[in-house]
Amino acid sequence: MSLSSSSPDVVIVGAGTAGLSAAKTLKKFGYSVVVLEAAAFVGGRCITDNSTFKIPFDVGGSWLHSAKINPLARLAEKHGVCLHKENWDWTWVYSNGTLLTPPQIKEYSKYHTSMWQEANKAGAEYIDQPVEKTLPNSPWKKLVKNLITPMLGADPDVVSSADVYQYADAKGDWLLAGGLGAFIKNLHSDVDVVINCPVSKIDYSGDGVKVESSTGSINAKYVILTVSTGVLAAEHIKFNPQLPSWKLEAINLLPSGLLNKIGLEFDSSWQGAQQGQIANYLVNDSDFCTINFGFCNTNLAVGFVAGRFAEQLESEGVGAATNFCLEGLKAIFGNNVTKYINKTTETAWKGNLYTLGSYSYALPGSIDARLRLSETLADRLFFAGEATMPNAQATVHGAYLSGIKVAEKIALIDG
């Protein structure tokens, strides 16, 4: 495709969930659209790997969070996708040489509930402070607070309690047979994407926009930017005129957090755990992983490391995160457990130049940053993505809804 010869109504930068849903919606409205993607594949931070294991592995987003109110859950039901809706809970908690007893795990779970209640309470009272400062005093605090980091992608001392409160939580965390990434890709199979096409500059100084990329420039009436806040903060894309200071402040208040995943494919002969069971493993104060077993009733387990510890492991090189999870498994199940693991893989989202992280988190004092990030500039430069969604941040459905929302904005401007 020759970009310079095309003259679409809208250029969309990024073929993740937000970019794809924006394109599909705009096409329904009758707009001509070109989607430019820097990577060699479509999906952004929501992709399914079908080659590493015998079963699909979501490298990025995998859950239909808040399924009761999640529009993607409704679409999955409509399309007859096999959904795994079982609840997950902790079966094993190992902390610094001690395996908790079942009664202790009940206390652990009880504190976990109160911890999130207090964080939300602070946010409801417009006290925008680090989540860690909201946590109730308890002997369990030091241990249980490590569960915050995998949820938010950042450590509890740097994330905003107000942002936690704004998230619209509802029942249900579902998995899709075949993978969420594959579902998103199939849902938008009618959207054409130019891959291997990183954008370097966006000029919105005139009546329309000019987008410069590695394969040429393209003019359009509007541009929708769906890249991560990590990429925006790193200034991988230049703007003319420069982004206003209030927009830059919003970007910097919403850094890209980090959640890395470790896939562990067990031999079918191992029967030590089943779907719905979780093992947590802590060394020192915050060297922590959580491992979910039996994804989609298969022999695949997935470990999660997040925040500063995940950054440390990623910087140590390939295999460091996997080795930490393996140490956790051996501590809980004995050294022989590794004999039953046939294959492993791990992600490294911080080092991914096209994302520079997994999903956004909000720093304390950023209560309106997501709304500011979503604001349009000059009626032609639009922003979408999970980071722009105060009630569905850090989720795939948030990205999906943001794409639809920005498409509707464009239609409204055109009257």
Side-chain angles (χ1 to χ4, degrees), residues 215-229:
T215 55
S217 62
I218 184 170
N219 294 295
K221 189 174 181 181
Y222 308 112
V223 62
I224 300 173
L225 195 59
T226 72
V227 300
S228 72
T229 54

Side-chain angles (χ1 to χ4, degrees), residues 201-202 204 225 232 237-243 381 383:
K201 185 177 180 180
I202 296 174
Y204 65 107
L225 195 59
L232 289 174
I237 300 174
K238 305 298 181 184
F239 296 89
N240 182 37
Q242 293 184 353
L243 297 180
L381 175 55
F383 294 80

Side-chain angles (χ1 to χ4, degrees), residues 62 66 102 139 161 174 220 224 235 240 255 309 339 342 348 373 397 414:
S62 57
S66 297
S161 58
W174 299 351
I224 300 173
E235 299 183 355
N240 182 37
F309 181 55
K339 296 179 181 179
N342 294 331
L373 178 62
H397 74 272
D414 281 340

Side-chain angles (χ1 to χ4, degrees), residues 9 43-44 60 72 81 95 117 123 141 157 226 242 253 273 288 312 315 329 365 393:
D9 297 317
L72 291 173
V81 176
S95 174
Q117 287 174 341
K141 177 178 178 179
D157 60 319
T226 72
Q242 293 184 353
L253 285 170
F288 178 78
Q312 174 194 321
S315 70
L329 289 171
Q393 65 273 33

Side-chain angles (χ1 to χ4, degrees), residues 140-351:
W140 293 106
K141 177 178 178 179
K142 191 174 180 180
L143 172 57
V144 182
K145 72 176 185 178
N146 286 285
L147 291 168
I148 293 170
T149 313
M151 287 296 297
L152 303 182
D155 295 84
D157 60 319
V158 295
V159 291
S160 160
S161 58
D163 195 59
V164 169
Y165 171 69
Q166 289 186 93
Y167 177 75
D169 194 19
K171 289 184 178 180
D173 287 303
W174 299 351
L175 294 169
L176 295 82
L180 179 54
F183 175 72
I184 292 295
K185 185 176 180 180
N186 291 337
L187 194 65
H188 300 91
S189 59
D190 57 337
V191 175
D192 294 325
V193 177
V194 183
I195 59 173
N196 295 311
C197 187
V199 168
S200 57
K201 185 177 180 180
I202 296 174
D203 188 330
Y204 65 107
S205 61
D207 291 335
V209 294
K210 181 180 181 181
V211 179
E212 297 181 15
S213 74
S214 61
T215 55
S217 62
I218 184 170
N219 294 295
K221 189 174 181 181
Y222 308 112
V223 62
I224 300 173
L225 195 59
T226 72
V227 300
S228 72
T229 54
V231 170
L232 289 174
E235 299 183 355
H236 286 184
I237 300 174
K238 305 298 181 184
F239 296 89
N240 182 37
Q242 293 184 353
L243 297 180
S245 58
W246 59 266
K247 180 71 78 171
L248 293 172
E249 182 184 38
I251 291 168
N252 290 322
L253 285 170
L254 298 167
S256 281
L258 183 60
L259 177 72
N260 277 331
K261 303 169 76 171
I262 301 91
L264 305 154
E265 188 177 54
F266 281 84
D267 188 87
S268 58
S269 63
W270 189 71
Q271 301 295 316
Q274 59 189 7
Q275 177 166 310
Q277 293 184 311
I278 304 173
N280 292 339
Y281 176 65
L282 176 67
V283 178
N284 300 319
D285 289 336
S286 56
D287 295 0
F288 178 78
C289 71
T290 182
I291 303 172
N292 291 40
F293 294 94
F295 261 54
C296 298
N297 279 328
T298 70
N299 56 345
L300 179 67
V302 180
F304 301 87
V305 293
R308 288 188 290 263
F309 181 55
E311 286 193 47
Q312 174 194 321
L313 290 172
E314 192 172 324
S315 70
E316 290 175 8
V318 178
T322 299
N323 287 337
F324 185 79
C325 285
L326 293 177
E327 289 302 313
L329 289 171
K330 287 190 288 186
I332 294 169
F333 298 104
N335 290 336
N336 285 338
V337 69
T338 57
K339 296 179 181 179
Y340 295 96
I341 298 175
N342 294 331
K343 192 178 289 187
T344 67
T345 191
E346 63 184 36
T347 65
W349 285 105
K350 190 69 176 180

